[in-house]
Amino acid sequence: ELSIGDNVNAVAVNAMVDKLSVGCESGTVKVYEIVADCRVRELASYVCEGHSKAVSAVAFAPRTNIIVSSGKDGTARVWREDECIAVLTCSIKDPKQPPPKRAQQVLVRGCGFGDLDGKLIFTVASGRKGKAFLSKWGFDETSNQYQCIERTDCSPYPISAMSISGDASTVALGAVNGTITLWNVEKWRAVKSFPEVHDLPVTCIAARPFDVPLEGEDESGVKYNALSASADSQMAWLTIQRKLPKGAAQRASSGPPLAEYINLLLKLAILFWTFSPLAKEMAETCGGADVPGIFQCIRDDVLVAPMSRPGIAVPPH
């Protein structure tokens, strides 16, 4: 248990699992050291200050300890320890539509790195309503700054959660209406949309961490691409896979494995052992009565001990 001293909106752990960063409601990013047995030191190693509004997302670059954070102030910021080395100002202006009469607050609710060294960044920005825009930023060696390479609308609804797969091929996006979108980075378009998977806004989403089979996937034959959670207290496992591989389909059609049958037989045996004395007593005590008498006999003489039986006493109510 760790006392941050602030409301936390985002958490990230680096690839070496020795640093933990948290994005706070106050606009700060705090970085803690992870020591033996996955314990976290009480005091922050350093604090990044620069966002003027709440931080929505944080992420580490895989090979370095560079951090990117995004917030409700319309920016994403790149940090080397507690030094801000770049500010990415995001936009939600729709080039296909006339400028709005009233400017909306820009909320950058997702950010992450698209390479190992922290030179490629993805951000997703939206207002409190309307379209969301996914941007790709590349580091320009000449200007020593990040430049926006591509920006396109990725959802008709604001995006509330974002995650990038471990191989940086897919961006998983969760919207405020519960819809999940899987975005292909190379093709730069949505490859699959799951409309209103959740009843409430998506609060957290995780894209596939690596391409090798995850636990249980060999048995089920299903390769999951993302996992989402929502304010509706539900989680969703999402895949773009259309059908099971031949071997997995045959295993599924063959029925439950032998272990499940053995488990079921053991449960039935325990139930029989538990209730057989009760059934025997019911037959011996109430076997000669008519149907109404049988129920009364079971109630009074089998399930509930009569007052006349020694040692029985009912306390007053």
Side-chain angles (χ1 to χ4, degrees):
E1 186 174 337
L2 181 67
S3 177
I4 304 296
D6 200 347
N7 292 330
V8 174
N9 296 331
V11 178
V13 178
N14 69 343
M16 298 301 294
V17 197
D18 60 2
K19 283 185 171 55
L20 169 76
S21 67
V22 295
C24 303
E25 186 69 23
S26 63
T28 61
V29 176
K30 298 181 181 182
V31 180
Y32 294 84
E33 184 181 356
I34 301 175
V35 293
D37 301 325
C38 293
R39 292 182 294 109
V40 181
R41 291 193 185 277
E42 290 287 339
L43 297 177
S45 300
Y46 52 90
V47 178
C48 308
E49 297 179 331
H51 286 286
S52 59
K53 295 184 183 297
V55 175
S56 302
V58 289
F60 281 97
R63 278 187 183 165
T64 67
N65 283 323
I66 293 177
I67 296 174
V68 62
S69 63
S70 63
K72 296 180 180 179
D73 59 357
T75 69
R77 294 173 181 263
V78 185
W79 308 88
R80 183 178 287 114
E81 293 191 348
D82 59 350
E83 178 190 2
C84 180
I85 60 175
V87 178
L88 317 181
T89 302
C90 300
S91 172
I92 57 172
K93 291 181 180 179
D94 189 348
K96 301 176 184 178
Q97 299 292 333
K101 296 180 180 179
R102 185 177 179 181
Q104 288 193 69
Q105 178 185 355
V106 180
L107 309 172
V108 190
R109 289 182 169 139
C111 63
F113 290 102
D115 66 344
L116 298 175
D117 298 317
K119 295 185 177 181
L120 186 65
I121 294 175
F122 295 96
T123 61
V124 64
S126 60
R128 296 196 179 277
K129 60 181 181 179
K131 292 181 179 180
F133 292 84
L134 181 65
S135 300
K136 179 165 64 174
W137 307 76
F139 186 76
D140 183 17
E141 301 286 351
T142 305
S143 63
N144 206 32
Q145 289 293 326
Y146 289 88
Q147 305 291 338
C148 185
I149 301 171
E150 289 193 73
R151 185 181 76 96
T152 187
D153 58 289
C154 58
S155 168
Y157 299 96
I159 294 297
S160 52
M162 168 185 149
S163 177
I164 302 173
S165 62
D167 59 1
S169 65
T170 304
V171 179
L173 303 166
V176 296
N177 73 328
T179 296
I180 307 294
T181 301
L182 298 180
W183 188 274
N184 185 285
V185 172
E186 184 180 359
K187 298 177 180 179
W188 200 244
R189 64 177 178 85
V191 292
K192 183 70 174 178
S193 181
F194 303 87
E196 299 183 14
V197 174
H198 296 284
D199 298 326
L200 293 173
V202 178
T203 54
C204 182
I205 192 166
R208 188 179 183 85
F210 35 75
D211 200 44
V212 300
L214 302 176
E215 184 177 356
E217 287 186 340
D218 284 333
E219 292 77 14
S220 66
V222 179
K223 180 181 178 181
Y224 295 104
N225 296 93
L227 170 65
S228 64
S230 167
D232 62 2
S233 301
Q234 295 184 358
M235 300 176 68
W237 282 259
L238 308 158
T239 179
I240 60 175
Q241 185 176 322
R242 294 187 177 182
K243 59 182 180 179
L244 290 175
K246 186 176 181 180
Q250 289 175 348
R251 289 195 300 270
S253 62
S254 63
L258 179 62
E260 292 189 19
Y261 286 118
I262 295 174
N263 188 33
L264 178 61
L265 289 174
L266 287 173
K267 290 179 180 178
L268 292 174
I270 292 171
L271 287 174
F272 178 78
W273 178 79
T274 303
F275 289 102
S276 58
L278 181 62
K280 183 179 179 180
E281 184 178 353
M282 289 168 56
E284 292 176 351
T285 307
C286 308
D290 55 8
V291 174
I294 288 176
F295 287 110
Q296 184 176 357
C297 175
I298 293 173
R299 184 194 65 189
D300 295 339
D301 294 339
V302 179
L303 298 180
V304 180
M307 291 294 296
S308 59
R309 186 172 296 179
I312 296 301
V314 178
H317 293 285

